[in-house]
Amino acid sequence: MSDTPNRYSHMAGNQYAKKHNRPANDSLSLRCNENDKYRWKLEAERAGKSLNGWVIEKLNLSIDRVT
């Protein structure tokens, strides 16, 4: 992991930051156990998001931390 900030680090937690929302043009399917899915759905609901939106956010955040 690099010590240099990624190009979006200045936007972390900024609700007014420009969102790079592009229309979905592909899909991803995954298998999981029902307990994990239940926990993910709860977290998504707590965050006020759909499960799909929550998963996309978490995946993108994990990449931003690495790059």
Side-chain angles (χ1 to χ4, degrees):
M1 188 151 84
S2 173
D3 290 332
T4 58
N6 70 56
R7 62 184 172 154
Y8 299 111
S9 62
H10 64 284
M11 294 182 192
N14 183 350
Q15 66 181 349
Y16 302 109
K18 181 177 180 182
K19 307 296 187 256
H20 296 283
N21 294 331
R22 291 176 283 238
N25 62 359
D26 205 350
S27 64
L28 172 69
S29 178
L30 63 98
R31 296 178 54 82
C32 63
N33 67 52
E34 63 186 280
N35 187 49
D36 284 341
K37 184 178 178 183
Y38 175 78
R39 291 174 39 226
W40 299 338
K41 284 181 81 169
L42 280 178
E43 287 302 310
E45 288 173 9
R46 288 179 184 150
K49 298 177 185 248
S50 67
L51 179 57
N52 185 67
W54 184 85
V55 168
I56 290 170
E57 178 183 86
K58 295 301 176 186
L59 289 172
N60 285 333
L61 285 172
S62 70
I63 291 171
D64 289 346
R65 278 188 251 134
V66 174
T67 58

